[in-house]
C-alpha cells in the first residue's frame, strides 16, 4: 500500500491581509518566522506518521493559498475545484486547478458557479459525503456535486460564524467514527450526524475554539493544534495516537492542521479511498 499523499503550501506569503471570518483581524498580524516554524513542525509530524508531502508553490498576494484543504474535493482521481465565496480567495483557484491537473487529476468545475470551498466543507465518512453550508458553500451546489459523482450527500447547516467551514467542527476518523463540535450545528444537523455516524466524539466548546476538530488523520495518528487535552484523552481511549503541535499563527486566520492540508489519495475515513487502497 502506498503512503498517504498530502498537498501543502509553504507559508512564504502568509499573513492577515484582509478579514473574511471572525478570527481574522488585520491589526493582529501573524508572526511570520513563527508561522513558518509551526508549518514545518506540522509537516514533520505528518511525515513521521507515514505521509508523503507534495508542495504547491506559494504565490505573492495570495496569503491564504497556504490553506490547501480549500483547493478541491478529491474523489478517486477526480478533483472538484473550489469556487470561493470571497473575491480575496478566488485568485487561488487557477493555481489549485493547474497543480491538480499536472498531478494527473481530472479537474471538474463546481456546477453553475455555486460557492464551494473544497475539503473545507465536504468530507466523506464512509460512503456518505457530509457537506457544510450557509457560511461559505451552497447547499444546492453540494447536491449537484453529489449527483455529478454519484454519491450520497447529507448537507449540514453551520450556524456559528466562528465555525465557517465544516472541517472546523467535524473530522471523520474512520468510516464509522468522527470528532465533532455540537455547538456548530443546529438541532437537525446534530440529529443527522447522530443517525449516520455510529461513533461520535463530542468536543467541548473551549477545545473547539483551539480548533480541536481541525485535525489531520493519518492512519491511527491524529494531529491537532495544542490546547485539546480532553479530546486527546478520548482519542487515546479509542485507540488513536493523538499528536499536538502549536499552530496559533494560523488560528489567527481561522485555520489549523486540517486547513493546511489536502489529502490527495482520499481520507482514511472515506469508504471509496479504503477500497481503492486495499
Amino acid at each position: 500500500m502506498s503512503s498517504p499523499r498530502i498537498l501543502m503550501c509553504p507559508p512564504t506569503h502568509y499573513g492577515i491581509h484582509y478579514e473574511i471570518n471572525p478570527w481574522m483581524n488585520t491589526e493582529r498580524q501573524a508572526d511570520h518566522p513563527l508561522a513558518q516554524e509551526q508549518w514545518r513542525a506540522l509537516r514533520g509530524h505528518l511525515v513521521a506518521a507515514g505521509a508523503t508531502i507534495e508542495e504547491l508553490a506559494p504565490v505573492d498576494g495570495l496569503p491564504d493559498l497556504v490553506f490547501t484543504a480549500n483547493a478541491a474535493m478529491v474523489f478517486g482521481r477526480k478533483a472538484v475545484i473550489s469556487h470561493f465565496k470571497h473575491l480575496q480567495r478566488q485568485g487561488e483557484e487557477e493555481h489549485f486547478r493547474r497543480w491538480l491537473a499536472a498531478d494527473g487529476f481530472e479537474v471538474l468545475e463546481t456546477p453553475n458557479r455555486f460557492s464551494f470551498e473544497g475539503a473545507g466543507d465536504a468530507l466523506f465518512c464512509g460512503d456518505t459525503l457530509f457537506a457544510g453550508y450557509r457560511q461559505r458553500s451552497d447547499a444546492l451546489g453540494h447536491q449537484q456535486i453529489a449527483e455529478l459523482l454519484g454519491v450520497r450527500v447529507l448537507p449540514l447547516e453551520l450556524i456559528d460564524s466562528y465555525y465557517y467551514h465544516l472541517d472546523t467542527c467535524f473530522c471523520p476518523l474512520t468510516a464509522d467514527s468522527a470528532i465533532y463540535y455540537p455547538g456548530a450545528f443546529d438541532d437537525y444537523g446534530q440529529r443527522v450526524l447522530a443517525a449516520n455516524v455510529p461513533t461520535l466524539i463530542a468536543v467541548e466548546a473551549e477545545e473547539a475554539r483551539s480548533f480541536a476538530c481541525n485535525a489531520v488523520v493519518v492512519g491511527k495518528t491524529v494531529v491537532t493544534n495544542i490546547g485539546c487535552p480532553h479530546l486527546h484523552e478520548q482519542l487515546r481511549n479509542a485507540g488513536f495516537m493523538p499528536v499536538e503541535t502549536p499552530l496559533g499563527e494560523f488560528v489567527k486566520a481561522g485555520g489549523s492542521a486540517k486547513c493546511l492540508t489536502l489529502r490527495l489519495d482520499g481520507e482514511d475515513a472515506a469508504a471509496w479511498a479504503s477500497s481503492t487502497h486495499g
Side-chain angles (χ1 to χ4, degrees), residues 111-169:
N112 299 315
R113 304 295 284 168
F114 280 114
S115 294
F116 173 66
E117 302 204 351
D121 267 336
L123 297 165
F124 279 95
C125 192
D127 291 318
T128 301
L129 180 63
F130 291 87
Y133 73 92
R134 178 174 166 179
Q135 308 288 344
R136 292 293 189 86
S137 297
D138 296 325
L140 279 174
H142 290 318
Q143 299 281 8
Q144 294 192 16
I145 288 166
E147 288 176 20
L148 185 70
L149 300 176
V151 299
R152 175 189 188 225
V153 65
L154 290 175
L156 298 165
E157 185 173 6
L158 303 178
I159 61 169
D160 185 330
S161 60
Y162 279 92
Y163 302 96
Y164 58 94
H165 277 148
L166 184 64
D167 71 359
T168 65
C169 51

Side-chain angles (χ1 to χ4, degrees), residues 15-244:
I16 318 298
H17 297 180
Y18 42 75
E19 298 174 7
I20 58 172
N21 69 55
W23 301 91
M24 294 177 127
N25 182 343
T26 53
E27 294 179 6
R28 190 172 65 115
Q29 210 31 259
D31 179 325
H32 198 252
L34 184 54
Q36 291 182 304
E37 182 183 315
Q38 291 181 349
W39 185 89
R40 286 193 296 267
L42 172 63
R43 187 187 191 284
H45 286 302
L46 297 176
V47 170
T52 297
I53 306 299
E54 309 287 354
E55 290 193 12
L56 172 72
V59 178
D60 192 12
L62 296 176
D64 284 346
L65 197 66
V66 69
F67 296 121
T68 53
N70 307 140
M73 187 198 79
V74 170
F75 182 75
R77 292 300 288 167
K78 296 178 180 179
V80 183
I81 205 78
S82 295
H83 176 53
F84 288 96
K85 179 176 181 176
H86 291 102
L87 180 65
Q88 292 93 328
R89 295 200 66 183
Q90 289 174 8
E92 298 173 33
E93 295 168 22
E94 63 176 293
H95 298 283
F96 290 138
R97 185 183 289 111
R98 191 181 306 130
W99 193 95
L100 289 162
D103 194 60
F105 280 92
E106 178 187 352
V107 176
L108 306 174
E109 299 298 323
T110 299
N112 299 315
R113 304 295 284 168
F114 280 114
S115 294
F116 173 66
E117 302 204 351
D121 267 336
L123 297 165
F124 279 95
C125 192
D127 291 318
T128 301
L129 180 63
F130 291 87
Y133 73 92
R134 178 174 166 179
Q135 308 288 344
R136 292 293 189 86
S137 297
D138 296 325
L140 279 174
H142 290 318
Q143 299 281 8
Q144 294 192 16
I145 288 166
E147 288 176 20
L148 185 70
L149 300 176
V151 299
R152 175 189 188 225
V153 65
L154 290 175
L156 298 165
E157 185 173 6
L158 303 178
I159 61 169
D160 185 330
S161 60
Y162 279 92
Y163 302 96
Y164 58 94
H165 277 148
L166 184 64
D167 71 359
T168 65
C169 51
F170 176 70
C171 175
L173 296 168
T174 66
D176 58 6
S177 66
I179 303 163
Y180 82 124
Y181 170 51
F185 304 95
D186 62 8
D187 179 65
Y188 175 76
Q190 291 180 36
R191 285 187 281 118
V192 167
L193 286 168
N196 290 278
V197 183
T199 302
L200 283 171
I201 297 175
V203 170
E204 58 195 45
E206 185 180 347
E207 294 194 1
R209 296 277 290 200
S210 292
F211 279 73
C213 298
N214 197 243
V216 183
V217 182
V218 180
K220 288 291 185 181
T221 301
V222 182
V223 184
T224 74
N225 183 30
I226 59 172
C228 316
H230 295 122
L231 172 63
H232 280 211
E233 183 181 2
Q234 290 175 289
L235 288 170
R236 279 189 290 270
N237 291 340
F240 291 91
M241 295 178 291
V243 174
E244 66 171 19

